[in-house]
Amino acid sequence: MPRDLPLGNGHLLVNFDDRYHLRDIYFPHVGRENHSAGHRFGLGVWLDGAFSWVHDSWQVDLRYAEDTLATHVTLSHPAGDLSIDCEDVVDFHEHALVRRFVVRNAAARPRAVRLFFHHDFHISETEVGDTAYYDPSRGAIIHYKAGRWFLMNAQREGAPAGFDQWAVGKKETDGQQGTWRDAEDGELSGNAVVQGAVDSVGAVHLALDAGASATVWYWMACGFSYADVATVHAVIAAKTPAALQARTEAYWRLWVNAEPNDLDGLGHDVAALFRRSLLTVRTQIDHHGGIVAATDYDITSFARDTYAYVWPRDGALVACALDDAGYDGVTRPFFEFLARVQTKEGYWMHKYNTDGTLASSWHPWWADGERQLPIQEDETGLPIWALWRHFDKFHDVEFIRPLYRSMIHAAAEFMASYVDANGLPKPSYDLWEERRGVHAWTVAATWAGLVAAARFFAAFGDEDGARRASQAAERMKDAAARYLWYEAEGRFIRSVAPSDSGGSYQPDLTVDASVAGLFLFGMFDASDQRVARTIEHLRAALWVPLSVGGMARYQHDAYQRRSSDPRVPGNPWFISTLWLARWHIAAAATAADLAPALDLLRWVAARALPSGVLAEQVDPETDAPVSVSPLTWSHAEVIQTVVAYAEKLAAFNVCPDCGQPLQRRDRATFLSQRLAAISSLVAAAPPG
């Protein structure tokens, strides 16, 4: 089920699904310890003596407020005479989720309304050993286990904090479904403490006159002890929940508009998706630097594992996109994270948890009677490639200095030595994590890492290191041109496998979008006729021939496949579709040549959820999101494609005499203009 609305601050991340359930609560690391384990935290309404859960029958419209990490959700009762406007934020500083509910009575008579908040914690991802109790000193409900504490409270606008009713009880054991059943008669038992597998419900009562409205505030404070959550609760009470919401909205509006990215000519839909992508990516980044692939817990039903890990490849590509957009303050901690987890041999493993520990993996250390490295070597090349792009743009020598000797040197030595007799990287697993071999994507990524290392060595005056890395990269490129180009079909192929005889390979002719890495990382120019012919093959073989369209990953892709139509190569992915856009941008010789790229960006924007969130894939027949949502990489590709488009368009709009861009955004002027626009937006916002 999609996660339509992620909110986070680097320590606390929450996700709401497409029925407005709170479904994921990650704390204190993004992607690490989901304290709901994907279970639903429901919202119930008792109206005129009848109870309903919002997810059962209400109309739900899920969006964000413009350019900020605050939800803008509308709930409409089936009868049409009651609605609730909802706004949620994770405070940008405190470990707290703050929610506002404006309940509107459209009927011509007074109404009695009760809101019920259900909490289904599985602290540290298990229900075993939890405790829930009512705290009379604050009128709050608390759940805890060991060093993980959660305090929930609510108040009517202008009234003291505290639930009007509460109950805690057993769930998932002895045939008991949970305390949520206790809410369905509109009354709660008042049971005050329980341990084991537990849940809880708190209620707020309202009396609404005809045509009147009332505001309810709710918050969840997170911490490592009772003292922690009590302190956060006191901050919320002192500053008011409204103040925390206002400051958080202002912070994220400032953050997303802080860099002078030129979005003119892209259209409102693409420009809005670009800014939403920046904000969405930011929610998936841990305060210790780890960039998580996705935090949608529902994928566990498919593989009994999650995407909530740091893949060095995904993280490097996301970091590169953020750097391209000017957000270097976010990316530096990621590179420092990589330096901490790098092996002493210089490579990176499959994936990591955001606390720096090694994550789960299916890569074997032993296969076919011999030892092998359980790695994907693009995950060693791309961090160095991304780090050079970062340094080349921001020139932060003091930041690079501690990474140079250990991280860069060690990775370069590994990449230069981990090659076969022809100079190609030795076999490793592909970026799709499905097959072992020598893959075009991995070859290009490793080459890019070696070139980046050579540039670092040259910049730091190590001529011998620069020469070794450059020679290894040149030899690798020559071998790629020789062994990955398949003359019989006039295209680059996705991979080769070493044959039994020394120095030769067996080709894999499956058409695969990942060969785009050959131009994405600069090994071959996008205008190279071999690349152009390869892209033509990709477009012909992988574009979904149904009304949905989009590019599949590769021929006969079975992962999460939705269509039985034999014409469909696989589900369309946002990543592979945007790679096609990036080729059009890179190969464009005139401004008119950019038109197909903009069309593809609009294709992506049209398939975002109403909130602006992008999944990994879409159903080729229905357009519905498939697999995890949001996928951080999907949003990173939007960012990188938009920046590349804007830069290429600007390159065509130059002074004929001096060759300088006719329009160049001055950062200070741009920021002052954006601040003025934000102030106008805030001033125009409705009160409360």
Side-chain angles (χ1 to χ4, degrees):
M1 184 176 290
R3 301 308 197 241
D4 292 54
L5 299 167
L7 300 169
N9 62 10
H11 297 263
L12 171 63
L13 169 69
V14 303
N15 291 324
F16 292 90
D17 70 14
D18 64 351
R19 296 302 301 165
Y20 196 46
H21 298 111
L22 179 59
R23 288 289 299 279
D24 304 306
I25 304 169
Y26 292 95
F27 175 80
H29 291 283
V30 173
R32 185 75 171 146
E33 293 186 56
N34 184 355
H35 301 292
S36 66
H39 290 75
R40 304 185 310 190
F41 282 45
L43 175 65
V45 181
W46 184 87
L47 174 65
D48 297 336
F51 182 91
S52 63
W53 292 105
V54 165
H55 62 261
D56 284 336
S57 56
W58 289 56
Q59 292 181 344
V60 179
D61 184 70
L62 299 163
R63 301 176 190 272
Y64 286 100
E66 184 178 357
D67 285 1
T68 190
L69 282 175
T71 72
H72 182 72
V73 177
T74 302
L75 309 175
S76 302
H77 189 268
D81 56 3
L82 189 81
S83 66
I84 307 176
D85 294 332
C86 315
E87 184 172 316
D88 312 274
V89 302
V90 167
D91 186 69
F92 80 94
H93 180 68
E94 300 292 342
H95 303 328
L97 168 67
V98 179
R99 311 179 70 182
R100 181 181 67 185
F101 302 88
V102 181
V103 185
R104 304 185 188 279
N105 176 24
R109 65 186 189 281
R111 319 287 291 280
V113 181
R114 299 175 186 175
L115 299 186
F116 290 81
F117 301 93
H118 175 232
H119 315 112
D120 192 4
F121 283 99
H122 292 62
I123 298 177
S124 298
E125 302 187 357
T126 176
E127 75 283 7
V128 176
D130 288 356
T131 297
Y133 70 94
Y134 175 69
D135 177 7
S137 65
R138 292 170 178 81
I141 296 171
I142 292 178
H143 285 240
Y144 76 90
K145 179 163 58 190
R148 302 291 182 262
W149 287 68
F150 304 89
L151 180 154
M152 285 67 63
N153 212 343
Q155 68 179 135
R156 291 180 298 279
E157 186 81 63
F163 288 112
D164 293 311
Q165 289 184 314
W166 68 89
V168 299
K170 291 281 190 178
K171 68 180 182 189
E172 301 174 21
T173 184
D174 299 328
Q176 298 180 78
Q177 293 177 291
T179 310
W180 58 274
R181 282 295 192 191
D182 186 24
E184 292 183 335
D185 62 357
E187 299 287 341
L188 294 173
S189 68
N191 188 47
V193 65
V194 68
Q195 70 178 48
V198 303
D199 69 337
S200 66
V201 182
V204 177
H205 297 181
L206 301 172
L208 297 179
D209 291 334
S213 64
T215 298
V216 173
W217 293 95
Y218 167 99
W219 57 91
M220 175 191 297
C222 309
F224 306 106
S225 66
Y226 178 82
D228 283 351
V229 294
T231 298
V232 175
H233 183 276
V235 169
I236 296 170
K239 293 184 178 293
T240 76
L244 266 65
Q245 278 205 346
R247 76 179 191 179
T248 299
E249 285 194 50
Y251 174 82
W252 289 116
R253 282 199 176 99
L254 180 63
W255 184 89
V256 80
N257 289 290
E259 296 300 324
N261 291 292
D262 190 350
L263 306 180
D264 295 342
L266 286 166
H268 179 268
D269 55 345
V270 175
L273 179 60
F274 172 80
R275 292 190 293 270
R276 180 53 54 194
S277 292
L278 285 168
L279 290 165
T280 301
V281 166
R282 187 64 184 87
T283 67
Q284 308 298 300
I285 301 177
D286 182 68
H287 64 286
H288 283 171
I291 299 175
V292 174
T295 52
D296 179 347
Y297 201 79
D298 279 2
I299 195 66
T300 57
S301 64
F302 176 80
R304 303 313 301 162
D305 206 345
T306 75
Y307 281 33
Y309 302 117
V310 183
W311 275 264
R313 169 189 51 255
D314 296 42
L317 293 167
V318 174
C320 184
L322 289 169
D323 278 337
D324 284 354
Y327 288 85
D328 53 305
V330 182
T331 62
R332 289 191 189 96
F334 170 69
F335 293 117
E336 292 170 334
F337 174 91
L338 288 178
R340 293 194 298 271
V341 300
Q342 186 181 22
T343 66
K344 69 180 188 312
E345 294 86 359
Y347 56 82
W348 279 276
M349 298 294 288
H350 182 186
K351 50 189 163 72
Y352 299 87
N353 298 306
T354 48
D355 61 5
T357 55
L358 191 63
S360 59
S361 178
W362 58 267
H363 293 347
W365 289 84
W366 180 268
D368 300 323
E370 62 181 13
R371 184 183 185 275
Q372 64 182 32
L373 284 181
I375 65 170
Q376 304 164 50
E377 197 178 351
D378 64 321
E379 297 202 293
T380 298
L382 291 181
I384 305 303
W385 163 81
L387 184 59
W388 171 259
R389 286 176 59 110
H390 171 97
F391 178 65
D392 190 44
K393 181 168 184 173
F394 301 108
H395 311 294
D396 42 2
V397 178
E398 291 291 341
F399 169 69
I400 292 295
R401 183 169 62 92
L403 306 179
Y404 172 69
R405 176 57 57 183
S406 58
M407 177 176 165
I408 298 168
H409 258 274
E413 290 296 324
F414 172 77
M415 289 186 288
S417 62
Y418 196 67
V419 296
D420 64 16
N422 297 311
L424 289 175
K426 290 181 179 179
S428 67
Y429 291 94
D430 70 338
L431 80 162
W432 308 131
E433 306 195 328
E434 294 176 347
R435 60 194 60 83
R436 185 174 171 84
V438 181
H439 313 288
W441 171 278
T442 304
V443 173
T446 306
W447 173 87
L450 284 166
V451 170
R455 290 170 176 165
F456 273 121
F457 292 149
F460 279 82
D462 184 350
E463 295 181 3
D464 289 341
R467 182 171 55 256
R468 287 195 303 273
S470 295
Q471 289 174 347
E474 184 177 355
R475 186 171 178 234
M476 193 171 291
K477 182 175 180 178
D478 290 343
R482 180 177 178 185
Y483 295 108
L484 293 175
W485 174 255
Y486 197 71
E487 184 63 37
E489 295 190 8
R491 64 182 175 94
F492 286 107
I493 57 176
R494 76 170 175 182
S495 61
V496 293
S499 64
D500 293 335
S501 57
S504 62
Y505 306 94
Q506 293 294 323
D508 181 346
L509 301 182
T510 304
V511 180
D512 191 318
S514 66
V515 299
L518 294 171
F519 82 84
L520 289 172
F521 306 129
M523 176 177 261
F524 298 105
D525 193 270
S527 61
D528 186 314
Q529 285 304 302
R530 294 170 296 179
V531 173
R533 291 170 67 185
T534 300
I535 296 297
E536 290 174 7
H537 274 276
L538 295 181
R539 178 66 171 77
L542 300 182
W543 189 264
V544 174
L546 305 178
S547 60
V548 169
M551 288 275 285
R553 288 191 303 174
Y554 56 81
Q555 290 174 310
H556 315 300
D557 185 0
Y559 180 60
Q560 303 269 10
R561 186 179 180 91
R562 291 295 189 267
S563 176
S564 59
D565 189 331
R567 298 174 300 160
V568 175
N571 298 336
W573 284 52
F574 292 116
I575 291 167
S576 47
T577 304
L578 288 167
W579 287 342
L580 179 60
R582 289 178 62 188
W583 178 80
H584 283 292
I585 294 167
T590 67
D593 294 336
L594 294 172
L598 185 55
D599 287 343
L600 290 165
L601 278 166
R602 287 172 174 160
W603 180 92
V604 171
R607 282 152 184 84
L609 298 174
S611 64
V613 160
L614 296 173
E616 179 182 70
Q617 317 165 42
V618 295
D619 189 305
E621 297 178 350
T622 68
D623 255 348
V626 174
S627 189
V628 294
S629 172
L631 181 73
T632 311
W633 191 356
S634 294
H635 285 282
E637 285 294 339
V638 168
I639 296 167
Q640 201 155 24
T641 304
V642 166
V643 172
Y645 179 94
E647 290 180 348
K648 195 64 176 282
L649 184 62
F652 292 129
N653 188 24
V654 297
C655 173
D657 297 323
C658 68
Q660 294 298 309
L662 292 176
Q663 293 182 337
R664 175 175 291 173
R665 291 202 167 193
D666 174 75
R667 180 182 177 127
T669 302
F670 170 80
L671 187 56
S672 65
Q673 291 172 343
R674 290 304 302 169
L675 284 171
I678 291 168
S679 298
S680 299
L681 184 64
V682 171

